[in-house]
């Protein structure tokens, strides 16, 4: 008799063994991760263009910032979710993936981390003898519009660019980290590449960062005009993030719910259509009918009935192995599974 092999169900899509998906970190730990990740992103995003010579820089500033986002998400994303951007946090809040109180705390932590990173860069600039005015140096990496834009982009142009860029960035983030996305491990790479592409566009227009925390960090240590224009780099990206969050909440979540319900139905087992029961009932009916015919023949002719009753019994006997044959298919699959777990099959 073959011993059945227990069936091992695969974990939920996107969850792998040892991924820590069941671990819920406290708010302090999550805020610390957001602050440190934001500090890292600001140091890389502002430090590379501040201290590099464009003619000899081996790594473009936009690509450096995108790689920093990827590294920060890989390093701290499992703790806090890896937002590091108030626009991303607002998109999560609108999409219903984070509570409003936690979202406000996240934004505060991101601002603190970004300001600390900019302060460190400002302190380094003050130590360089070749730089007479550290605030003027920060002006070169601070977001602005009009006369403070590289190409003199007007307010409307920078506003539309920030809204569009933030919406795309948040949409990429929400899509790659969705519950029913089987490629969650690629989320950090996708978000980092999206940041690099968008920053390459934003830097050529007006140092648009698509990140209010980074815009605030650079504006605080720049000239006074940067604080006057800072409102745009809060309103526009948050509006774009809200649009992406609404779209995700309106279209992506119902699809995810349907997929989850379908997965739950599949996990309960295959649909039982009753075909096997029909086969068993047909077999029983044939056997009962054979017995009734045998009894009738016995009443008509006693000696002949014995022979006629024996013939249907012998004829009906070969029909009995049919269900046994149906059940015999299962041991074959069990044997293959057993050989697989025993290492006999590759």
């Amino acid at each position: 008799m073959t011993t059945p092999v227990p069936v091992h169900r695969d974990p939920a899509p996107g969850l792998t063994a040892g991924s820590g998906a069941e671990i819920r970190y406290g708010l302090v730990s999550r805020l610390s991760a957001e602050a440190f990740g934001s500090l890292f992103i600001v140091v890389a995003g502002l430090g590379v263009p501040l201290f590099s010579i464009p003619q000899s820089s081996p790594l473009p500033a936009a690509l450096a910032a995108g790689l920093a986002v990827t590294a920060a998400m890989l390093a701290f994303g499992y703790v806090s979710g890896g937002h590091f951007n108030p626009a991303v946090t607002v998109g999560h809040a609108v999409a219903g993936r984070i509570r409003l109180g936690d979202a406000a705390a996240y934004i505060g932590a991101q601002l603190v981390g970004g300001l600390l990173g900019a302060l460190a860069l400002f302190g380094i600039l003050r130590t360089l003898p070749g730089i007479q005015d550290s605030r003027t140096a920060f002006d070169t990496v601070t977001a602005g519009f009009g006369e403070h834009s590289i190409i003199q982009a007007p307010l409307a142009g920078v506003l539309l660019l920030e809204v569009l860029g933030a919406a795309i960035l948040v949409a990429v983030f929400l899509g790659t980290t969705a519950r029913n996305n089987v490629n969650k491990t690629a989320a950090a790479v996708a978000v980092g590449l999206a940041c690099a592409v968008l920053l390459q566009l934003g830097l050529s227009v007006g140092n648009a960062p698509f990140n209010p925390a980074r815009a605030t960090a650079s504006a605080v240590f720049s000239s006074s005009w940067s604080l006057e224009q800072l409102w745009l780099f809060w309103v526009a990206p948050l509006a774009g993030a809200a649009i992406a969050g609404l779209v995700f909440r309106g279209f992506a979540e119902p699809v995810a719910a349907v997929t989850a319900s379908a997965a739950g139905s599949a996990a309960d087992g295959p649909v039982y259509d009753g075909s096997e029961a029909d086969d068993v009932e047909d077999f029983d009916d044939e056997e009962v009918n054979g017995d009734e015919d045998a009894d009738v023949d016995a009443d008509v002719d006693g000696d002949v009935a014995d022979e006629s009753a024996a013939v249907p019994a012998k004829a009906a006997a070969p029909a009995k192995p049919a269900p046994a044959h149906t059940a015999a298919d299962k041991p074959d699959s069990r044997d293959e599974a057993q050989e697989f777990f025993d290492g006999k099959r590759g």
Side-chain angles (χ1 to χ4, degrees):
M1 181 176 180
T2 305
T3 303
V5 178
V7 177
H8 301 278
R9 298 189 183 276
D10 294 333
L15 300 180
T16 56
S19 61
E22 300 297 333
I23 300 177
R24 178 68 175 176
Y25 290 90
L27 183 60
V28 175
S29 299
R30 287 181 281 150
L31 295 181
S32 300
E34 285 292 313
F36 195 84
S38 299
L39 183 150
F40 175 37
I41 290 174
V42 167
V43 168
L46 299 180
V48 170
L50 271 175
F51 299 106
S52 63
I53 301 174
Q55 292 78 8
S56 61
S57 177
L59 186 66
L63 181 57
L67 292 176
V69 171
T70 298
M73 289 184 66
L74 291 175
F76 311 112
Y78 72 96
V79 177
S80 64
H83 297 188
F84 314 128
N85 186 339
V88 174
T89 302
V90 169
H92 275 70
V94 174
R97 293 173 60 172
I98 187 174
R99 292 179 293 184
L100 293 180
D102 291 349
Y106 268 42
I107 294 175
Q110 292 157 4
L111 284 173
V112 171
L115 289 172
L116 290 176
L119 177 62
L121 294 176
F122 187 78
I124 296 174
L125 284 175
R126 296 293 298 269
T127 63
L128 300 179
I131 298 178
Q132 302 298 327
D133 189 356
S134 299
R135 291 190 175 273
T136 303
F138 254 90
D139 290 346
T140 61
V141 295
T142 300
F145 58 86
E147 61 180 355
H148 302 291
S149 170
I150 299 176
I151 60 174
Q152 305 296 313
L155 184 150
V158 178
L159 175 67
L160 291 176
L161 179 62
E162 276 278 336
V163 171
L164 178 62
I168 294 174
L169 178 61
V170 173
V172 171
F173 198 110
L174 292 176
T176 54
T177 58
R179 182 177 304 173
N180 58 330
N181 190 344
V182 297
N183 295 320
K184 283 185 178 180
T185 54
V189 177
V191 174
L193 290 176
C195 285
V197 173
L198 291 171
L199 286 174
Q200 185 63 41
L201 175 62
L203 293 176
S204 62
V205 175
N207 286 328
F210 311 106
N211 185 337
R214 172 177 163 174
T216 302
S218 60
V220 168
F221 297 96
S222 300
S223 301
S224 59
W225 63 264
S226 59
L227 292 176
E228 297 173 359
Q229 298 186 355
L230 180 60
W231 64 270
L232 175 65
F233 301 99
W234 273 90
V235 174
L238 294 187
I243 293 172
L246 287 174
V247 171
F248 185 87
R249 185 166 192 163
F251 294 96
E253 286 296 345
V255 175
V258 172
T259 305
S261 63
S265 300
D268 294 337
V271 178
Y272 180 69
D273 57 3
S275 59
E276 295 181 359
D278 294 339
D279 295 338
V280 174
E281 291 176 359
D282 293 341
F283 176 76
D284 292 339
D285 291 341
E286 292 176 358
E287 187 175 4
V288 172
N289 292 334
D291 294 340
E292 291 178 354
D293 294 341
D295 292 339
V296 172
D297 293 338
D299 294 337
V300 176
D301 192 354
D303 296 335
V304 178
D306 295 337
E307 297 177 359
S308 62
V311 172
K314 294 179 181 180
K320 292 183 180 180
H325 177 71
T326 303
D329 295 337
K330 296 181 179 179
D332 294 339
S333 60
R334 295 194 196 105
D335 292 341
E336 292 178 1
Q338 183 67 49
E339 291 178 0
F340 176 83
F341 286 107
D342 291 341
K344 298 179 181 179
R345 294 175 61 91

